[in-house]
Amino acid sequence: MELDISLAPEILFNFGFLPVTNTLLWSFVLSIFLIVITLAMRFSLKTIPGRWQLLFEVILDEGMKLVESIMKDEKKAKRVFPLVFTMFIFIVFANLIPFIPGQSALSIHTQNGDISPFRAIMSDYGMVFVLTAISIITIQIVAIIAHGPFGYLGKFINLKSPLAFVLGLMDLIGELSKILSLSFRLFGNIFAGEVLGLVMLFLAPFIVPLPFALLGLITAIIQGFVFSLLTLIFISMAGEIEVKEEKKSKACVNFNN
Amino acid sequence: MKLFEALGLNWKILLAQLINFGLLVWILHRFGYGPIIKFIDERRKKIEKGLKNAKEVEEKMEKAKEVEKEIIVSAKKEAQKIVSASTELAKRNQEEIIKKAEEEAQRILDSSQKKAIQEKGRIISEAKGEVAELVVFATEKIISKNIDKFEDREAINELIADEK
């Protein structure tokens, strides 16, 4: 038995010009699964909720409350909620799929060697990168809407004083590092979990991998939560800065008077 | 570029992922969260309304109970009043009736006394007449037939009248 670990997802087949990797395939399947569940829930809504509906409602409602508590504005929260909540359930389910047993037992023979048709979606950096890109772009859009295009640029390129210039540059770097920190946190955790599980399974197939699986289970949910919560906080911060500055300047005016 | 290859980054796949996730967000929002949250909010409003209504009804009921109590109290008072008034009236009536009855009794007594006196007088006068006749008769028998009836009678009558 050999242990092959690759950073890149394996290409299962080509669909037209699109090479379908195992992670892409499963992200499609997961999307359809989530849509089906949500629609099923939506069309079986009852005024007096059953157990499943209640569970669903509680998750949705608590999520909404959390978003509202961080955005501090119901209207904004409603606008951000779909993105953040979809990220959360998508990442959590994507991370939970690998815990359905029996996946590593299957493999497909191709000319490139044996390929497992299953792979944790978030252990594909491409998928994580797409999510991060969406998150970062949303943050920038919110910042631009909140500050105006010139205010947004002025935050990074500030020529008022050398110190302000350096601080602006730091902001720029900080903004760029968000991409890396967000994406590699999720990717690293899940990929490491996968590799760790594989190694443990390779070294000692019985009992020993169980604690690691449990740890992986916790990681799966926490990482989904962390990713979406960080996105939410960044968005909230991006939209808030202007108000803070206004308050500061007002305070200064009051002080001067 | 080597890093991208190692990570398996391929712009076609990235684009596919982006579209996939974008669609997922849109569909879930448009057909999932939106309607479900709306539904939850509506139900929350309905429940709030129901609770409010229940509270209102309770308040109304309490008020109604108070009014009921007031009505009962006032009704009791009224009843008391009526009873006492009627008792008084009855007492007064009773007195009147008794008075009337007594008067009536008195009247009857008076008239009957009067009648009795009259009767007595009549009887006495009648008796006097009869006595006179009897006396005449007896005297006639005792004395003799030749004495004039009428003279004697007059004399006797005078005698009786004197007696009186």
Side-chain angles (χ1 to χ4, degrees), chain B residues 82-133:
Chain B
I82 289 170
V83 167
S84 62
S86 54
T87 314
E88 214 163 287
L89 198 71
K91 257 186 198 165
R92 235 188 289 150
N93 278 359
Q94 194 189 17
E95 275 167 17
E96 245 167 60
I97 288 167
I98 290 172
K99 223 174 171 185
K100 260 188 196 167
E102 275 175 358
E103 273 172 16
E104 185 75 21
Q106 199 61 43
R107 206 173 50 77
I108 290 168
L109 202 66
D110 284 357
S111 70
S112 55
Q113 255 173 349
K114 241 184 230 168
K115 258 186 194 169
I117 289 169
Q118 272 177 0
E119 197 78 351
K120 194 179 149 193
R122 199 177 55 84
I123 288 169
I124 288 173
S125 64
E126 249 176 42
K128 269 181 184 170
E130 253 172 61
V131 167
E133 259 175 47

Side-chain angles (χ1 to χ4, degrees), chain A residues 32-95:
Chain A
I32 290 164
F33 172 72
L34 289 177
I35 288 169
V36 168
I37 279 193
T38 309
L39 290 191
M41 218 63 238
R42 189 234 149 142
F43 288 111
S44 64
L45 281 179
K46 290 186 196 91
T47 313
I48 299 163
R51 228 166 262 186
W52 286 107
Q53 191 186 329
L54 205 64
L55 180 71
F56 202 82
E57 277 180 13
V58 165
I59 293 172
L60 209 61
D61 207 44
E62 290 302 314
M64 192 73 198
K65 271 185 202 156
L66 184 66
V67 173
E68 263 173 30
S69 74
I70 287 173
M71 294 303 288
K72 296 182 186 78
D73 184 282
E74 203 180 326
K75 228 175 166 182
K76 278 186 201 165
K78 278 207 170 130
R79 209 169 287 170
V80 180
F81 179 76
L83 177 70
V84 176
F85 191 74
T86 309
M87 273 181 177
F88 174 65
I89 55 168
F90 187 74
I91 295 171
V92 166
F93 274 93
N95 292 348

Side-chain angles (χ1 to χ4, degrees), chain A residues 157-169:
Chain A
I157 305 161
N158 198 332
L159 298 173
K160 276 178 194 157
S161 68
L163 181 66
F165 180 72
V166 173
L167 285 179
L169 276 185

Side-chain angles (χ1 to χ4, degrees), chain A residues 7-8 17 19 21 24 27-28 31 38-39 42 45-47 57 60-61 82 85-86 90 126-127 131 134, chain B residues 6-10 12-14 17-18 20-21 24-25 27-29 31-33 35-37 39-40 43-44:
Chain A
L7 272 174
F17 68 92
T21 59
L24 184 63
S27 72
F28 284 155
S31 301
T38 309
L39 290 191
R42 189 234 149 142
L45 281 179
K46 290 186 196 91
T47 313
E57 277 180 13
L60 209 61
D61 207 44
F85 191 74
T86 309
F90 187 74
M127 188 63 229
L131 287 182
I134 291 171
Chain B
L7 287 172
L9 293 182
N10 177 326
K12 286 178 197 159
I13 296 176
L14 289 186
Q17 299 273 38
L18 184 68
N20 174 36
F21 189 75
L24 180 68
V25 172
I27 291 173
L28 287 189
H29 172 53
F31 303 105
Y33 314 143
I36 292 173
I37 284 180
F39 176 83
I40 293 174
R43 189 180 52 199
R44 191 169 287 154

